[in-house]
Amino acid sequence: MMLAIPDLLDSGQLDEVRHIVDAGEWVDGNETSGHQSALAKKNMQLAENSDAARRAGAIVLDALGKSPLFIAAALPLKVFPPLFNRYQGGERFGTHVDNAVRLKRGSDLKVRSDLSATLFLADPDSYEGGELVVEDNLGAHKVKLPAGHMILYPASSLHRVEPVTSGARVASFFWIQSMVRDDGARTLLFDLDRSIQAIAADRGQDDPAIIQLTGVYHNLLRRWADC
């Protein structure tokens, strides 16, 4: 399942994150690459353990925790601390698949990458190119969202970032380990949750059918969750 999370950051949060990361220490993006990714990747990245990355990442994590849409879609168990990258001057990231397990340097944190997330931090009109292209059984999907919006997609997907031919593409990226490992099961739970919410808005939360459907949702989650 691919899902856009609109306005994850409001204008104030977006301005604060950009102020922090723009003034931070930028290094070669391959600092955190695996072997396969290093062959395809050419960009810059905010130093992973820098104060700027921690401060900006904390703002992103706080916003994620307050987003009902993100929580319903991802059913997060662990979130890898957000990283930040910048593409300009023809930089790109060729087709690759993300590592199955992400290790946080200098810590014991391990995150199984069930979902990948890209949070756009630059206005799409401020740069040319830089589309995130995610491939699935239905073909290739190009994504270039407004600043503050985020795309969520299976980490198992082949994906790439097209060359940025002018301006600068700035984004945050990270991975999520879900309580529900299987993407198909997560999609079913998300669709059921959205349907329950839509029916409840029309008939009220105390409607017997809503109570029954909510029970079905939680019993499926109980069956599939690993936490």
Side-chain angles (χ1 to χ4, degrees):
M1 176 178 66
M2 286 184 64
L3 181 70
I5 312 288
D7 297 313
L8 181 74
L9 299 182
D10 62 29
S11 59
Q13 292 168 319
L14 179 62
D15 288 346
E16 186 175 3
V17 169
R18 282 302 304 264
H19 177 76
I20 292 169
V21 302
D22 289 348
E25 175 192 359
W26 291 85
V27 299
D28 189 322
N30 281 312
E31 184 181 78
T32 57
S33 296
H35 174 71
Q36 179 198 42
S37 294
L39 300 176
K41 183 179 182 181
K42 184 173 177 56
N43 66 7
M44 298 296 288
Q45 186 169 304
L46 198 62
E48 181 178 2
N49 290 319
S50 66
D51 179 65
R54 287 192 293 269
R55 289 165 55 207
I59 296 170
V60 174
L61 290 173
D62 183 64
L64 290 173
K66 295 176 179 176
S67 170
L69 183 57
F70 167 74
I71 293 170
L75 296 170
L77 178 63
K78 299 179 186 177
V79 178
F80 194 88
L83 302 172
F84 299 85
N85 59 22
R86 183 178 67 207
Y87 295 80
Q88 57 188 2
E91 292 175 329
R92 61 187 290 276
F93 199 160
T95 302
H96 65 285
V97 64
D98 290 337
N99 288 354
V101 178
R102 304 298 308 196
L103 309 177
K104 172 65 175 173
R105 291 184 179 186
S107 78
D108 295 328
L109 178 65
K110 297 179 182 179
V111 175
R112 186 185 67 233
S113 57
D114 297 322
L115 291 159
S116 295
T118 297
L119 171 60
F120 291 82
L121 299 175
D123 189 308
D125 293 333
S126 68
Y127 61 98
E128 296 291 335
E131 294 86 355
L132 172 67
V133 181
V134 181
E135 300 180 17
D136 62 19
N137 291 334
L138 297 177
H141 308 275
K142 288 190 174 184
V143 183
K144 189 174 182 179
L145 299 180
H149 293 221
M150 185 178 81
I151 187 71
L152 197 63
Y153 59 97
S156 57
S157 303
L158 289 172
H159 57 281
R160 64 183 182 271
V161 176
E162 299 283 33
V164 174
T165 55
S166 69
R169 177 196 191 270
V170 182
S172 176
F173 64 104
F174 49 93
W175 301 272
I176 300 99
Q177 179 173 334
S178 176
M179 291 185 289
V180 177
R181 180 193 298 251
D182 182 73
D183 182 63
R186 277 197 314 274
T187 301
L188 287 172
L189 286 168
F190 178 71
D191 290 344
L192 179 57
D193 180 58
R194 295 295 92 184
S195 296
I196 291 170
Q197 298 304 319
I199 297 171
D202 181 57
R203 299 170 62 173
Q205 292 284 352
D206 59 350
D207 186 280
I210 297 299
I211 295 171
Q212 184 175 26
L213 285 172
T214 301
V216 171
Y217 174 90
H218 284 285
N219 285 331
L220 287 173
L221 180 59
R222 186 175 291 111
R223 176 182 291 266
W224 289 331
D226 178 18
C227 57

